[in-house]
Amino acid sequence: MSARIVCLPGDCIGPEVMAVAQRILRELAPDLELEDHLFGAAAIRATGDPLPDETLEACRSAAAVLKAPIGHPEFDAADVRPEQGMLRLRAELDVYTNLRPAKQGAVDLVIVRELVGGLYFGARGVREDGTVFDTCEYHPSQVERIARRAFELARSRGGRLTSVDKANVLETSRMWRRVVHEVAAEYPDVEVEDLLVDNAAMQLASAPEQFDVLVTENMFGDILSDLAAAMTGGLGLAPSASLGDAGPGLFEPVHGSAPDIAGRGIANPAAMLRSTALLLEHGLGRYAEARALEDAVDVALGTTPTPDLGGGATTAEFTDAVLQALAASD
Ligand code: NAD
Ligand code: IPM
Ligand code: MN
């Protein structure tokens, strides 16, 4: 079945890893229509807006959106920044469930990050006296819907859910904890525990194999997912899927645009390819192709590691290894 995939190539190493994903998709699923659109720093340069209307409309009507990382040092201090387009895209598509799996050896966990609320989207500004503020805001309905997604996921996996908050300090966290336990009543088969976020960071760093599914608010999830990635092979490996209740999902690596290695042909495309596998699975329901891609990436990671993994392979050599593994599994 043909489907239209909107591709957002992003900034710095973004276009390098997007080119890999597209090359693999053309082999693996040649019927897919891949359509590039302007986004991030490139869109600011061309239109003044990181998320032009035309790009947003294309995303809304797509079967799924595949996004490479955005962000560019040129705009770090600017009023209009690539990251603003990214937050707006997540909010416009209402992809509130961000799945960030981390798997290696005995560790096999998923962080379910709430993606369209909290500190990223609360009131912000500058008071007359010069005080600058960002506020963390959640409506109970936002917590309820993400909690339900997390319980469903836990039920389909190991049956254990850890809800991460800062209920010893924050009002939003106290409400979060109350709502999670209300929803828990509907899932008696899932074992649920609460964990304070500082302790969660310590536990993730010292004994990550204890976790199955973790659910947490936007900012905590941002930080803990980089930590979980570091514990399971590094940022070059960590994918994500952002899903709403209806409409297209958004699939992107956890890592950023890595300006420090851009243009050198050494970016690890594994996170981008694993995000592509999540798109095939969650976005299109094409499970066999998703599995084939995941397996081929695992093979290439073993035979042809890039420098971030201590190897010497270039992005192109890694890509060839993935294509070879795919051909071998045909
Ligand atoms: P980063 O994730 O880009 O890089 C952190 C470190 O990891 C760097 O040393 C980088 O070289 C390395 N790294 C990341 N991805 C890699 C890969 N695929 N292969 C090999 N090494 C890799 O984080 P940062 O440097 O803090 O942020 C850079 C820019 O990215 C910022 O503008 C930030 O806002 C943006 N960002 C974007 C996204 C996104 O679009 N999803 C996510 C995070 C950060
Ligand atoms: C991520 C990134 C983004 C976030 C930035 C680039 C806005 O760090 O996807 O983890 O904080 O959500
Ligand atoms: Mn992040």
Side-chain angles (χ1 to χ4, degrees):
M1 188 192 62
S2 170
R4 197 167 55 85
I5 310 299
V6 163
C7 300
L8 308 174
D11 307 317
C12 302
I13 66 163
E16 301 173 32
V17 292
M18 177 60 85
V20 175
Q22 294 185 333
R23 189 166 158 217
I24 303 281
L25 277 178
R26 285 193 187 102
E27 283 296 320
L28 183 65
D31 58 301
L32 295 179
E33 284 174 54
L34 308 179
E35 206 180 272
D36 284 358
H37 287 269
L38 272 176
F39 187 60
I44 299 178
R45 287 189 204 102
T47 72
D49 182 352
L51 176 57
D53 290 347
E54 179 271 336
T55 298
L56 178 59
E57 284 319 309
C59 290
R60 278 192 207 286
S61 61
V65 180
L66 184 62
K67 185 190 150 293
I70 50 90
H72 197 286
E74 178 189 338
F75 294 102
D76 280 351
D79 286 338
V80 178
R81 297 182 299 282
E83 290 81 355
Q84 294 160 333
M86 185 158 154
L87 299 192
R88 187 163 161 242
L89 180 61
R90 290 170 175 173
E92 293 279 358
L93 297 179
D94 198 26
V95 284
Y96 63 89
T97 305
N98 183 217
L99 305 177
R100 297 192 156 188
K103 193 172 170 178
Q104 190 182 64
V107 180
D108 181 0
L109 62 86
V110 181
I111 294 180
V112 180
R113 172 188 179 194
E114 201 291 327
L115 201 60
V116 299
L119 204 49
Y120 281 47
F121 290 93
R124 62 185 54 185
V126 186
R127 294 207 189 94
E128 263 178 30
D129 71 350
T131 306
V132 182
F133 63 96
D134 299 279
T135 51
C136 185
E137 299 181 20
Y138 270 107
H139 188 275
S141 62
Q142 288 176 290
V143 179
E144 188 184 331
R145 67 180 187 168
I146 189 72
R148 198 159 268 124
R149 294 293 280 257
F151 276 104
E152 292 290 338
L153 181 66
R155 172 176 273 177
S156 75
R157 289 174 44 103
R160 287 181 300 114
L161 178 65
T162 306
S163 174
V164 177
D165 63 35
K166 188 72 185 173
N168 53 344
V169 175
L170 301 175
E171 284 306 319
T172 42
S173 281
R174 298 170 77 78
M175 181 273 286
W176 177 284
R177 197 175 273 213
R178 175 174 57 75
V179 172
V180 166
H181 285 276
E182 282 165 14
V183 175
E186 296 168 36
Y187 298 87
D189 50 318
V190 176
E191 193 187 312
V192 58
E193 67 158 351
D194 301 300
L195 197 59
L196 295 171
V197 64
D198 44 357
N199 190 6
M202 191 274 284
Q203 299 286 339
L204 270 172
S206 56
E209 66 285 347
Q210 71 184 285
F211 294 110
D212 179 10
V213 179
L214 298 99
V215 62
T216 192
E217 69 90 35
N218 203 343
M219 179 85 162
F220 297 159
D222 178 46
I223 297 166
L224 294 180
S225 59
D226 268 35
L227 178 53
M231 298 307 293
T232 49
L235 272 177
L237 303 183
S240 89
S242 305
L243 309 169
D245 288 328
L250 172 64
F251 302 85
E252 58 176 326
V254 169
H255 67 72
S257 56
D260 54 334
I261 58 164
R264 293 169 50 196
I266 56 164
N268 184 349
M272 188 74 206
L273 291 176
R274 285 179 166 172
S275 303
T276 307
L278 291 177
L279 180 151
L280 289 165
E281 180 186 343
H282 295 274
L284 304 178
R286 294 169 66 147
Y287 302 103
E289 287 148 320
R291 172 54 66 87
L293 179 51
E294 274 168 10
D295 290 349
V297 169
D298 285 347
V299 170
L301 287 171
T303 59
T304 321
T306 44
D308 55 308
L309 302 174
T314 62
T315 309
E317 286 162 349
F318 185 92
T319 309
D320 288 340
V322 174
L323 283 167
Q324 236 172 49
L326 277 174
S329 72
D330 265 352

PDB file of all heavy atoms in Angstrom, residues 97-100 109-112 146-161 187 190 212-214 282:
ATOM      1  N   THR A  97       2.243  11.442  23.114  1.00  0.00           N
ATOM      2  CA  THR A  97       2.953  10.264  23.639  1.00  0.00           C
ATOM      3  C   THR A  97       4.287  10.092  22.930  1.00  0.00           C
ATOM      4  O   THR A  97       4.315   9.790  21.742  1.00  0.00           O
ATOM      5  CB  THR A  97       2.126   8.986  23.397  1.00  0.00           C
ATOM      6  OG1 THR A  97       0.830   9.162  23.956  1.00  0.00           O
ATOM      7  CG2 THR A  97       2.800   7.783  24.048  1.00  0.00           C
ATOM      8  N   ASN A  98       5.367  10.310  23.632  1.00  0.00           N
ATOM      9  CA  ASN A  98       6.690  10.142  23.034  1.00  0.00           C
ATOM     10  C   ASN A  98       7.341   8.889  23.616  1.00  0.00           C
ATOM     11  O   ASN A  98       7.678   8.841  24.798  1.00  0.00           O
ATOM     12  CB  ASN A  98       7.531  11.396  23.328  1.00  0.00           C
ATOM     13  CG  ASN A  98       8.923  11.353  22.692  1.00  0.00           C
ATOM     14  OD1 ASN A  98       9.894  11.819  23.281  1.00  0.00           O
ATOM     15  ND2 ASN A  98       9.026  10.819  21.496  1.00  0.00           N
ATOM     16  N   LEU A  99       7.474   7.871  22.767  1.00  0.00           N
ATOM     17  CA  LEU A  99       8.079   6.608  23.194  1.00  0.00           C
ATOM     18  C   LEU A  99       9.572   6.657  22.923  1.00  0.00           C
ATOM     19  O   LEU A  99       9.997   6.893  21.793  1.00  0.00           O
ATOM     20  CB  LEU A  99       7.463   5.437  22.415  1.00  0.00           C
ATOM     21  CG  LEU A  99       5.939   5.312  22.471  1.00  0.00           C
ATOM     22  CD1 LEU A  99       5.479   4.139  21.597  1.00  0.00           C
ATOM     23  CD2 LEU A  99       5.462   5.135  23.902  1.00  0.00           C
ATOM     24  N   ARG A 100      10.368   6.445  23.961  1.00  0.00           N
ATOM     25  CA  ARG A 100      11.822   6.447  23.811  1.00  0.00           C
ATOM     26  C   ARG A 100      12.393   5.135  24.354  1.00  0.00           C
ATOM     27  O   ARG A 100      12.760   5.050  25.524  1.00  0.00           O
ATOM     28  CB  ARG A 100      12.419   7.676  24.500  1.00  0.00           C
ATOM     29  CG  ARG A 100      11.922   8.959  23.856  1.00  0.00           C
ATOM     30  CD  ARG A 100      12.658  10.221  24.253  1.00  0.00           C
ATOM     31  NE  ARG A 100      12.500  11.228  23.207  1.00  0.00           N
ATOM     32  CZ  ARG A 100      13.131  12.376  23.158  1.00  0.00           C
ATOM     33  NH1 ARG A 100      13.986  12.704  24.113  1.00  0.00           N
ATOM     34  NH2 ARG A 100      12.931  13.222  22.156  1.00  0.00           N
ATOM     35  N   LEU A 109      14.005  -1.086  28.332  1.00  0.00           N
ATOM     36  CA  LEU A 109      13.013  -0.196  28.937  1.00  0.00           C
ATOM     37  C   LEU A 109      12.480   0.775  27.890  1.00  0.00           C
ATOM     38  O   LEU A 109      13.074   0.955  26.823  1.00  0.00           O
ATOM     39  CB  LEU A 109      13.624   0.554  30.125  1.00  0.00           C
ATOM     40  CG  LEU A 109      14.818   1.489  29.862  1.00  0.00           C
ATOM     41  CD1 LEU A 109      14.367   2.889  29.447  1.00  0.00           C
ATOM     42  CD2 LEU A 109      15.678   1.607  31.129  1.00  0.00           C
ATOM     43  N   VAL A 110      11.331   1.377  28.199  1.00  0.00           N
ATOM     44  CA  VAL A 110      10.786   2.442  27.358  1.00  0.00           C
ATOM     45  C   VAL A 110      10.426   3.615  28.250  1.00  0.00           C
ATOM     46  O   VAL A 110       9.715   3.447  29.253  1.00  0.00           O
ATOM     47  CB  VAL A 110       9.510   2.007  26.602  1.00  0.00           C
ATOM     48  CG1 VAL A 110       9.002   3.154  25.720  1.00  0.00           C
ATOM     49  CG2 VAL A 110       9.765   0.778  25.740  1.00  0.00           C
ATOM     50  N   ILE A 111      10.937   4.789  27.905  1.00  0.00           N
ATOM     51  CA  ILE A 111      10.480   6.001  28.585  1.00  0.00           C
ATOM     52  C   ILE A 111       9.308   6.556  27.786  1.00  0.00           C
ATOM     53  O   ILE A 111       9.412   6.764  26.574  1.00  0.00           O
ATOM     54  CB  ILE A 111      11.616   7.038  28.687  1.00  0.00           C
ATOM     55  CG1 ILE A 111      12.713   6.495  29.614  1.00  0.00           C
ATOM     56  CG2 ILE A 111      11.075   8.385  29.185  1.00  0.00           C
ATOM     57  CD1 ILE A 111      13.895   7.409  29.805  1.00  0.00           C
ATOM     58  N   VAL A 112       8.179   6.743  28.476  1.00  0.00           N
ATOM     59  CA  VAL A 112       7.009   7.361  27.855  1.00  0.00           C
ATOM     60  C   VAL A 112       6.992   8.804  28.342  1.00  0.00           C
ATOM     61  O   VAL A 112       6.671   9.089  29.486  1.00  0.00           O
ATOM     62  CB  VAL A 112       5.710   6.642  28.259  1.00  0.00           C
ATOM     63  CG1 VAL A 112       4.503   7.305  27.598  1.00  0.00           C
ATOM     64  CG2 VAL A 112       5.772   5.158  27.881  1.00  0.00           C
ATOM     65  N   ILE A 146      -1.862  10.465  28.970  1.00  0.00           N
ATOM     66  CA  ILE A 146      -0.515   9.885  28.831  1.00  0.00           C
ATOM     67  C   ILE A 146      -0.385   8.666  29.763  1.00  0.00           C
ATOM     68  O   ILE A 146       0.244   7.660  29.405  1.00  0.00           O
ATOM     69  CB  ILE A 146       0.605  10.930  29.091  1.00  0.00           C
ATOM     70  CG1 ILE A 146       1.985  10.374  28.720  1.00  0.00           C
ATOM     71  CG2 ILE A 146       0.639  11.412  30.520  1.00  0.00           C
ATOM     72  CD1 ILE A 146       2.225  10.233  27.261  1.00  0.00           C
ATOM     73  N   ALA A 147      -1.004   8.752  30.936  1.00  0.00           N
ATOM     74  CA  ALA A 147      -0.948   7.614  31.864  1.00  0.00           C
ATOM     75  C   ALA A 147      -1.594   6.383  31.223  1.00  0.00           C
ATOM     76  O   ALA A 147      -1.069   5.274  31.286  1.00  0.00           O
ATOM     77  CB  ALA A 147      -1.651   7.954  33.172  1.00  0.00           C
ATOM     78  N   ARG A 148      -2.731   6.618  30.570  1.00  0.00           N
ATOM     79  CA  ARG A 148      -3.432   5.489  29.945  1.00  0.00           C
ATOM     80  C   ARG A 148      -2.558   4.829  28.875  1.00  0.00           C
ATOM     81  O   ARG A 148      -2.459   3.600  28.798  1.00  0.00           O
ATOM     82  CB  ARG A 148      -4.756   5.999  29.366  1.00  0.00           C
ATOM     83  CG  ARG A 148      -5.721   4.914  29.089  1.00  0.00           C
ATOM     84  CD  ARG A 148      -7.158   5.396  29.002  1.00  0.00           C
ATOM     85  NE  ARG A 148      -7.839   5.331  30.276  1.00  0.00           N
ATOM     86  CZ  ARG A 148      -8.438   6.333  30.886  1.00  0.00           C
ATOM     87  NH1 ARG A 148      -8.445   7.530  30.332  1.00  0.00           N
ATOM     88  NH2 ARG A 148      -9.030   6.165  32.039  1.00  0.00           N
ATOM     89  N   ARG A 149      -1.895   5.649  28.058  1.00  0.00           N
ATOM     90  CA  ARG A 149      -0.997   5.090  27.027  1.00  0.00           C
ATOM     91  C   ARG A 149       0.129   4.284  27.675  1.00  0.00           C
ATOM     92  O   ARG A 149       0.532   3.233  27.168  1.00  0.00           O
ATOM     93  CB  ARG A 149      -0.392   6.207  26.154  1.00  0.00           C
ATOM     94  CG  ARG A 149      -1.385   6.949  25.288  1.00  0.00           C
ATOM     95  CD  ARG A 149      -1.996   6.093  24.188  1.00  0.00           C
ATOM     96  NE  ARG A 149      -1.143   5.932  23.029  1.00  0.00           N
ATOM     97  CZ  ARG A 149      -1.292   6.575  21.871  1.00  0.00           C
ATOM     98  NH1 ARG A 149      -2.271   7.443  21.709  1.00  0.00           N
ATOM     99  NH2 ARG A 149      -0.497   6.346  20.866  1.00  0.00           N
ATOM    100  N   ALA A 150       0.644   4.790  28.798  1.00  0.00           N
ATOM    101  CA  ALA A 150       1.762   4.109  29.465  1.00  0.00           C
ATOM    102  C   ALA A 150       1.304   2.787  30.080  1.00  0.00           C
ATOM    103  O   ALA A 150       2.008   1.773  29.994  1.00  0.00           O
ATOM    104  CB  ALA A 150       2.371   5.019  30.528  1.00  0.00           C
ATOM    105  N   PHE A 151       0.108   2.781  30.690  1.00  0.00           N
ATOM    106  CA  PHE A 151      -0.411   1.523  31.251  1.00  0.00           C
ATOM    107  C   PHE A 151      -0.649   0.502  30.139  1.00  0.00           C
ATOM    108  O   PHE A 151      -0.346  -0.684  30.304  1.00  0.00           O
ATOM    109  CB  PHE A 151      -1.705   1.768  32.030  1.00  0.00           C
ATOM    110  CG  PHE A 151      -1.469   2.203  33.450  1.00  0.00           C
ATOM    111  CD1 PHE A 151      -1.633   3.521  33.840  1.00  0.00           C
ATOM    112  CD2 PHE A 151      -1.065   1.272  34.414  1.00  0.00           C
ATOM    113  CE1 PHE A 151      -1.409   3.917  35.146  1.00  0.00           C
ATOM    114  CE2 PHE A 151      -0.840   1.660  35.730  1.00  0.00           C
ATOM    115  CZ  PHE A 151      -1.012   2.990  36.103  1.00  0.00           C
ATOM    116  N   GLU A 152      -1.202   0.963  29.010  1.00  0.00           N
ATOM    117  CA  GLU A 152      -1.425   0.041  27.886  1.00  0.00           C
ATOM    118  C   GLU A 152      -0.107  -0.578  27.433  1.00  0.00           C
ATOM    119  O   GLU A 152      -0.026  -1.778  27.184  1.00  0.00           O
ATOM    120  CB  GLU A 152      -2.079   0.773  26.700  1.00  0.00           C
ATOM    121  CG  GLU A 152      -3.511   1.235  26.930  1.00  0.00           C
ATOM    122  CD  GLU A 152      -4.507   0.079  26.990  1.00  0.00           C
ATOM    123  OE1 GLU A 152      -4.212  -1.008  26.454  1.00  0.00           O
ATOM    124  OE2 GLU A 152      -5.585   0.274  27.592  1.00  0.00           O
ATOM    125  N   LEU A 153       0.923   0.263  27.327  1.00  0.00           N
ATOM    126  CA  LEU A 153       2.228  -0.240  26.889  1.00  0.00           C
ATOM    127  C   LEU A 153       2.791  -1.227  27.908  1.00  0.00           C
ATOM    128  O   LEU A 153       3.297  -2.292  27.540  1.00  0.00           O
ATOM    129  CB  LEU A 153       3.199   0.930  26.674  1.00  0.00           C
ATOM    130  CG  LEU A 153       4.591   0.528  26.196  1.00  0.00           C
ATOM    131  CD1 LEU A 153       4.535  -0.075  24.796  1.00  0.00           C
ATOM    132  CD2 LEU A 153       5.544   1.736  26.202  1.00  0.00           C
ATOM    133  N   ALA A 154       2.698  -0.875  29.190  1.00  0.00           N
ATOM    134  CA  ALA A 154       3.226  -1.763  30.239  1.00  0.00           C
ATOM    135  C   ALA A 154       2.508  -3.107  30.195  1.00  0.00           C
ATOM    136  O   ALA A 154       3.130  -4.161  30.324  1.00  0.00           O
ATOM    137  CB  ALA A 154       3.069  -1.111  31.608  1.00  0.00           C
ATOM    138  N   ARG A 155       1.204  -3.062  29.975  1.00  0.00           N
ATOM    139  CA  ARG A 155       0.403  -4.298  29.892  1.00  0.00           C
ATOM    140  C   ARG A 155       0.874  -5.188  28.750  1.00  0.00           C
ATOM    141  O   ARG A 155       0.883  -6.404  28.867  1.00  0.00           O
ATOM    142  CB  ARG A 155      -1.061  -3.884  29.686  1.00  0.00           C
ATOM    143  CG  ARG A 155      -1.990  -4.995  29.392  1.00  0.00           C
ATOM    144  CD  ARG A 155      -3.412  -4.488  29.316  1.00  0.00           C
ATOM    145  NE  ARG A 155      -4.044  -4.456  30.623  1.00  0.00           N
ATOM    146  CZ  ARG A 155      -5.267  -4.011  30.856  1.00  0.00           C
ATOM    147  NH1 ARG A 155      -5.979  -3.504  29.870  1.00  0.00           N
ATOM    148  NH2 ARG A 155      -5.773  -4.035  32.054  1.00  0.00           N
ATOM    149  N   SER A 156       1.320  -4.555  27.637  1.00  0.00           N
ATOM    150  CA  SER A 156       1.747  -5.332  26.465  1.00  0.00           C
ATOM    151  C   SER A 156       3.199  -5.797  26.592  1.00  0.00           C
ATOM    152  O   SER A 156       3.695  -6.539  25.762  1.00  0.00           O
ATOM    153  CB  SER A 156       1.596  -4.493  25.195  1.00  0.00           C
ATOM    154  OG  SER A 156       2.626  -3.525  25.136  1.00  0.00           O
ATOM    155  N   ARG A 157       3.910  -5.326  27.634  1.00  0.00           N
ATOM    156  CA  ARG A 157       5.313  -5.719  27.827  1.00  0.00           C
ATOM    157  C   ARG A 157       5.437  -6.516  29.123  1.00  0.00           C
ATOM    158  O   ARG A 157       4.768  -7.511  29.295  1.00  0.00           O
ATOM    159  CB  ARG A 157       6.194  -4.457  27.873  1.00  0.00           C
ATOM    160  CG  ARG A 157       6.333  -3.772  26.518  1.00  0.00           C
ATOM    161  CD  ARG A 157       7.078  -2.463  26.677  1.00  0.00           C
ATOM    162  NE  ARG A 157       8.241  -2.588  27.549  1.00  0.00           N
ATOM    163  CZ  ARG A 157       9.507  -2.655  27.127  1.00  0.00           C
ATOM    164  NH1 ARG A 157       9.765  -2.583  25.835  1.00  0.00           N
ATOM    165  NH2 ARG A 157      10.505  -2.768  27.993  1.00  0.00           N
ATOM    166  N   GLY A 158       6.275  -6.008  30.057  1.00  0.00           N
ATOM    167  CA  GLY A 158       6.549  -6.762  31.281  1.00  0.00           C
ATOM    168  C   GLY A 158       5.564  -6.531  32.409  1.00  0.00           C
ATOM    169  O   GLY A 158       5.707  -7.100  33.496  1.00  0.00           O
ATOM    170  N   GLY A 159       4.559  -5.656  32.202  1.00  0.00           N
ATOM    171  CA  GLY A 159       3.543  -5.445  33.225  1.00  0.00           C
ATOM    172  C   GLY A 159       3.986  -4.576  34.390  1.00  0.00           C
ATOM    173  O   GLY A 159       3.358  -4.592  35.449  1.00  0.00           O
ATOM    174  N   ARG A 160       5.075  -3.797  34.199  1.00  0.00           N
ATOM    175  CA  ARG A 160       5.530  -2.926  35.285  1.00  0.00           C
ATOM    176  C   ARG A 160       5.663  -1.484  34.806  1.00  0.00           C
ATOM    177  O   ARG A 160       6.253  -1.221  33.755  1.00  0.00           O
ATOM    178  CB  ARG A 160       6.873  -3.419  35.840  1.00  0.00           C
ATOM    179  CG  ARG A 160       6.706  -4.703  36.677  1.00  0.00           C
ATOM    180  CD  ARG A 160       8.019  -5.174  37.250  1.00  0.00           C
ATOM    181  NE  ARG A 160       8.971  -5.461  36.194  1.00  0.00           N
ATOM    182  CZ  ARG A 160      10.095  -4.789  35.984  1.00  0.00           C
ATOM    183  NH1 ARG A 160      10.433  -3.796  36.789  1.00  0.00           N
ATOM    184  NH2 ARG A 160      10.896  -5.113  35.001  1.00  0.00           N
ATOM    185  N   LEU A 161       5.110  -0.559  35.584  1.00  0.00           N
ATOM    186  CA  LEU A 161       5.161   0.858  35.218  1.00  0.00           C
ATOM    187  C   LEU A 161       5.736   1.668  36.373  1.00  0.00           C
ATOM    188  O   LEU A 161       5.297   1.539  37.523  1.00  0.00           O
ATOM    189  CB  LEU A 161       3.748   1.361  34.889  1.00  0.00           C
ATOM    190  CG  LEU A 161       3.643   2.849  34.524  1.00  0.00           C
ATOM    191  CD1 LEU A 161       4.391   3.161  33.235  1.00  0.00           C
ATOM    192  CD2 LEU A 161       2.173   3.265  34.370  1.00  0.00           C
ATOM    193  N   TYR A 187      -6.129  -0.818  35.608  1.00  0.00           N
ATOM    194  CA  TYR A 187      -5.096  -1.760  35.152  1.00  0.00           C
ATOM    195  C   TYR A 187      -4.545  -2.567  36.330  1.00  0.00           C
ATOM    196  O   TYR A 187      -3.362  -2.474  36.661  1.00  0.00           O
ATOM    197  CB  TYR A 187      -3.958  -0.988  34.460  1.00  0.00           C
ATOM    198  CG  TYR A 187      -4.402  -0.246  33.213  1.00  0.00           C
ATOM    199  CD1 TYR A 187      -4.913   1.049  33.291  1.00  0.00           C
ATOM    200  CD2 TYR A 187      -4.345  -0.854  31.956  1.00  0.00           C
ATOM    201  CE1 TYR A 187      -5.343   1.722  32.153  1.00  0.00           C
ATOM    202  CE2 TYR A 187      -4.766  -0.193  30.818  1.00  0.00           C
ATOM    203  CZ  TYR A 187      -5.266   1.102  30.926  1.00  0.00           C
ATOM    204  OH  TYR A 187      -5.685   1.755  29.798  1.00  0.00           O
ATOM    205  N   VAL A 190      -1.241  -4.395  36.039  1.00  0.00           N
ATOM    206  CA  VAL A 190       0.042  -3.693  35.919  1.00  0.00           C
ATOM    207  C   VAL A 190       0.508  -3.251  37.310  1.00  0.00           C
ATOM    208  O   VAL A 190      -0.254  -2.660  38.072  1.00  0.00           O
ATOM    209  CB  VAL A 190      -0.084  -2.460  34.989  1.00  0.00           C
ATOM    210  CG1 VAL A 190       1.225  -1.675  34.959  1.00  0.00           C
ATOM    211  CG2 VAL A 190      -0.488  -2.891  33.581  1.00  0.00           C
ATOM    212  N   ASP A 212      10.971  -1.362  33.329  1.00  0.00           N
ATOM    213  CA  ASP A 212      10.220  -1.843  32.172  1.00  0.00           C
ATOM    214  C   ASP A 212       9.699  -0.610  31.421  1.00  0.00           C
ATOM    215  O   ASP A 212      10.283  -0.171  30.439  1.00  0.00           O
ATOM    216  CB  ASP A 212       9.095  -2.765  32.667  1.00  0.00           C
ATOM    217  CG  ASP A 212       8.228  -3.321  31.550  1.00  0.00           C
ATOM    218  OD1 ASP A 212       8.596  -3.163  30.368  1.00  0.00           O
ATOM    219  OD2 ASP A 212       7.168  -3.903  31.854  1.00  0.00           O
ATOM    220  N   VAL A 213       8.629   0.005  31.916  1.00  0.00           N
ATOM    221  CA  VAL A 213       8.112   1.234  31.310  1.00  0.00           C
ATOM    222  C   VAL A 213       8.176   2.351  32.349  1.00  0.00           C
ATOM    223  O   VAL A 213       7.793   2.143  33.509  1.00  0.00           O
ATOM    224  CB  VAL A 213       6.653   1.055  30.829  1.00  0.00           C
ATOM    225  CG1 VAL A 213       6.121   2.342  30.223  1.00  0.00           C
ATOM    226  CG2 VAL A 213       6.566  -0.095  29.823  1.00  0.00           C
ATOM    227  N   LEU A 214       8.687   3.511  31.937  1.00  0.00           N
ATOM    228  CA  LEU A 214       8.671   4.688  32.807  1.00  0.00           C
ATOM    229  C   LEU A 214       7.787   5.735  32.144  1.00  0.00           C
ATOM    230  O   LEU A 214       7.846   5.909  30.921  1.00  0.00           O
ATOM    231  CB  LEU A 214      10.072   5.281  32.997  1.00  0.00           C
ATOM    232  CG  LEU A 214      11.121   4.378  33.660  1.00  0.00           C
ATOM    233  CD1 LEU A 214      12.003   3.752  32.593  1.00  0.00           C
ATOM    234  CD2 LEU A 214      11.979   5.174  34.639  1.00  0.00           C
ATOM    235  N   HIS A 282       4.745   1.652  13.958  1.00  0.00           N
ATOM    236  CA  HIS A 282       3.621   2.392  14.573  1.00  0.00           C
ATOM    237  C   HIS A 282       2.882   3.280  13.580  1.00  0.00           C
ATOM    238  O   HIS A 282       1.698   3.531  13.736  1.00  0.00           O
ATOM    239  CB  HIS A 282       4.121   3.277  15.713  1.00  0.00           C
ATOM    240  CG  HIS A 282       4.689   2.517  16.865  1.00  0.00           C
ATOM    241  ND1 HIS A 282       3.911   2.035  17.890  1.00  0.00           N
ATOM    242  CD2 HIS A 282       5.957   2.161  17.160  1.00  0.00           C
ATOM    243  CE1 HIS A 282       4.680   1.413  18.771  1.00  0.00           C
ATOM    244  NE2 HIS A 282       5.924   1.468  18.344  1.00  0.00           N
TER     245      HIS A 282
END
